[in-house]
Amino acid sequence: MDIQDLAKRVIAGERRALARAITLVESGRADHRAQAVELLETTAPEGRQALRIGLSGTPGVGKSTFIEAFGMFLIEKGLKVAVLAVDPSSARSGGSILGDKTRMESLSREKNAFIRPSPSQAQMGGVARRTREAVALCEAAGFDIVLIETVGVGQSETMVAEMSDLFLLLLAPAGGDELQGVKRGIMEIADLILVNKADGPLKETAMRTCADYAGALRLLRKRVYDPEGFPKAQMVSAVTHDGLPEAWETMEELVAWRREHGHWEKRRAAQARHWFEEDLRIGLLSALETSNARARIDALGGQVAAGELSASRAADEMLAFLKLASDS
C-alpha cells in the first residue's frame, strides 16, 4: 500500500480514501499497524481541527435519529459532517450488525457527510479502540464537525470524553429523576444534556424531565472549564427538529468561551497525554499474548482452579515471570 499516496487522497477529501484509511487504522495486523502510524504522522502536519462532539444515551433514546437531524441541520449551514458510530460487538461471536448507517438514510446521501460504523470489539467505555485515530483522519480530510456516537451502554460510558471537545448526553422523557441526575460517572462529564422526543404527547413529560435534570446539574461540582450556567439541560425533537437551533447555539457559546479562556488547547493536550498512556497500557497487556506468556498463564490458571495456588499468589508469580522475561 502506498501510504504517501493514500495520505494525499485523504487530505484532498476523497471519501473512498478516508474509508480505506480508517480500515487500515482499525486493523490488528502488525504490518498494518506500522502503516497506520505512518499514515497518521503524514496527515498530522496539516493541523486541521474539527469540532469533535461525543454523543451518548441509552439504547432507544433516538441517537441515530438525532444525529441524522442534527447532521442535516449542520450541512444546511454549509458545514461538512463526519459520523463515527460504534456498534456493540457480540461477546459470543465477536460480530456486529453495524446498522447505524441504514438509520441515517438522508444523511448518508449527502456529499458533505461521511458515516462510518465500527464494531466496539469488546472495548470498554462505549467507543472502539481506534476511534480516536479515525477522528484524526476525518479532521485531516477537512470535515468541520465529527460526531462520535457511542455504543449506548449507560453510566460507565465515559471514554468518549477523552476524545471529544463537547460531550452530549441524550435522555428520553421520564428517563429519571433528580437522584438519577446527580449520579456520578456519565453525568459528571456531560457538557449538555438533551431530552429528546420532546414532541406530541411526550412534550409535557420532556419538560418535567428537563427541569429535573437542570436542577440536578446545579448540585454537581463546578468544573474549571465551564462558564457560568453550564452544564445545561435542554429539550429537542429529532422528529420535528424543534430545539436543534437552540442546542447548536449553546454548543457554539460553550466552544467560544473555552477557546477564549484557553481551555480548548489545554483539554486537547491532556487528551493527547491520556491516549499516549492508554496505548502504552494496551501495549504492555499485549505482552501477555506471547506463546511463552500464554503457556505460563495456563499453567498457573490450572493451579488456581485446582485450589493449589491462590489467585493473588499466581498473579504475583506471573508478574515476576514477565519481569524476568523483560530483563533477559
Side-chain angles (χ1 to χ4, degrees):
M1 185 182 296
D2 188 339
I3 297 301
Q4 295 299 319
D5 178 64
L6 181 60
K8 288 178 182 177
R9 290 165 55 205
V10 168
I11 293 168
E14 291 186 28
R15 287 153 53 120
R16 188 182 296 274
L18 177 58
R20 190 179 182 191
I22 294 175
T23 298
L24 179 65
V25 300
E26 289 179 342
S27 174
R29 282 175 43 175
D31 58 333
H32 285 176
R33 188 65 204 143
Q35 290 179 322
V37 171
E38 182 186 349
L39 175 64
L40 290 163
E41 289 177 345
T42 304
T43 55
E46 289 298 311
R48 295 174 177 174
Q49 283 193 347
L51 174 58
R52 308 170 182 173
I53 302 177
L55 188 139
S56 185
T58 54
V61 75
K63 293 190 297 297
S64 297
T65 308
F66 171 81
I67 287 175
E68 177 168 54
F70 187 49
M72 295 296 291
F73 169 81
L74 295 172
I75 286 172
E76 288 172 4
K77 287 186 167 293
L79 299 172
K80 294 181 66 178
V81 179
V83 179
L84 301 176
V86 182
D87 262 15
S89 297
S90 169
R92 293 184 177 181
S93 66
S96 187
I97 296 175
L98 303 179
D100 293 87
K101 193 170 183 178
T102 62
R103 293 178 177 146
M104 307 176 193
E105 189 176 347
S106 297
L107 189 61
S108 63
R109 292 197 297 263
E110 284 288 335
K111 65 177 182 178
N112 287 327
F114 175 82
I115 304 174
R116 171 69 181 222
S118 298
S120 65
Q121 297 176 323
Q123 178 79 8
M124 299 301 289
V127 293
R129 178 179 172 184
R130 299 299 176 189
T131 299
R132 170 184 57 92
E133 294 174 351
V135 170
L137 289 172
C138 289
E139 288 185 312
F143 284 92
D144 303 300
I145 310 289
V146 180
L147 293 168
I148 311 159
E149 180 192 359
T150 66
V151 168
V153 293
Q155 301 252 7
S156 64
E157 200 167 298
T158 57
M159 191 66 75
V160 69
E162 297 296 342
M163 64 179 73
S164 57
D165 304 308
L166 295 177
F167 180 62
L168 312 183
L169 179 59
L170 247 63
L171 298 175
D177 53 17
E178 286 190 8
L179 179 60
Q180 190 73 23
V182 295
K183 283 187 176 180
R184 299 310 187 238
I186 201 168
M187 295 297 303
E188 288 183 308
I189 63 171
D191 295 308
L192 180 61
I193 291 177
L194 298 176
V195 181
N196 194 22
K197 303 183 179 181
D199 51 66
L202 288 175
K203 188 166 185 176
E204 189 173 332
T205 306
M207 292 176 64
R208 289 196 298 269
T209 302
C210 187
D212 282 342
Y213 277 94
L217 289 173
R218 287 193 287 270
L219 301 177
L220 295 178
R221 184 178 299 173
K222 178 76 173 172
R223 304 179 305 190
V224 295
Y225 49 82
D226 284 338
E228 192 63 36
F230 282 85
K232 287 185 177 182
Q234 295 181 214
M235 296 189 304
V236 295
S237 169
V239 175
T240 65
H241 299 185
D242 288 342
L244 289 183
E246 292 80 5
W248 176 238
E249 186 179 329
T250 299
M251 294 178 220
E252 288 186 305
E253 177 188 346
L254 181 55
V255 167
W257 187 89
R258 285 179 176 171
R259 284 185 182 277
E260 182 182 345
H261 290 79
H263 294 294
W264 175 280
E265 293 300 334
K266 284 181 182 178
R267 289 194 72 192
R268 288 231 168 172
Q271 288 172 356
R273 172 64 185 263
H274 168 86
W275 287 106
F276 154 68
E277 295 182 0
E278 183 68 13
D279 279 353
L280 183 61
R281 183 184 67 83
I282 292 171
L284 291 172
L285 286 175
S286 67
L288 296 174
E289 299 303 320
T290 63
S291 56
N292 288 340
R294 288 308 314 174
R296 187 62 177 157
I297 289 172
D298 290 340
L300 290 170
Q303 289 181 269
V304 172
E308 299 169 2
L309 200 63
S310 71
S312 298
R313 176 67 67 185
D316 287 342
E317 289 192 18
M318 187 63 210
L319 290 171
F321 172 84
L322 291 173
K323 185 176 186 303
L324 183 63
S326 64
D327 290 342
S328 61

